[in-house]
Amino acid sequence: QVQLVESGGGLVQAGGSLRLSCAASGRTFSSYAMGWFRQAPGKEREFVATIVWSGGNAYYADSVHGRFTISRDNAKNTVYLQMNSLKPEDTAVYYCASTQAYMVTAYLTKSGSYAYWGQGTQVTVSS
């Protein structure tokens, strides 16, 4: 049973920073791509960032490129999302997700590519 547990959300002023963490358990974490998605009230869940299994490459949504950084520590079974220069429009529930595709190097930006999801962590950015 794969489990993903996010932490690190909270309330921050515009221009501030937060770092989200997602701890994984239940299988070999290092062999699978990980992603971050977010969902704002009244909107569909959207892709934020993804990182390949080895951690060597990452891909970002245009809306966060240059401000957010995804990384992973395979020794700690944890993926991170460092969020800088936060804007009110970044306010959402943030979810981490894991694929079932073994050692895939493609960038997976669709929610349907991910089989396992965390419970989400709220990020609120005040203006």
Side-chain angles (χ1 to χ4, degrees):
Q1 181 79 11
V2 176
Q3 290 190 325
L4 303 173
V5 179
E6 301 100 334
S7 61
L11 173 64
V12 64
Q13 288 189 332
S17 299
L18 282 174
R19 188 176 83 154
L20 305 183
S21 300
C22 173
S25 62
R27 67 172 180 179
T28 306
F29 171 80
S30 60
S31 299
Y32 300 92
M34 299 292 294
W36 285 96
F37 288 75
R38 66 187 182 186
Q39 188 166 18
K43 295 187 177 182
E44 293 186 353
R45 188 172 298 188
E46 66 174 1
F47 166 76
V48 175
T50 184
I51 188 166
V52 299
W53 64 274
S54 64
N57 291 291
Y59 183 79
Y60 301 89
D62 289 344
S63 58
V64 307
H65 191 271
R67 299 188 297 122
F68 290 12
T69 302
I70 187 172
S71 62
R72 65 190 297 162
D73 185 336
N74 286 342
K76 294 183 178 180
N77 288 356
T78 301
V79 63
Y80 304 97
L81 186 68
Q82 177 67 43
M83 305 186 295
N84 298 329
S85 302
L86 282 161
K87 304 175 181 180
E89 51 264 43
D90 294 319
T91 295
V93 176
Y94 283 71
Y95 299 90
C96 75
S98 179
T99 71
Q100 279 188 312
Y102 185 73
M103 289 189 174
V104 169
T105 56
Y107 296 136
L108 303 175
T109 64
K110 305 296 185 185
S111 59
S113 298
Y114 294 83
Y116 306 102
W117 295 82
Q119 82 288 351
T121 185
Q122 176 71 46
V123 172
T124 302
V125 184
S126 63
S127 57

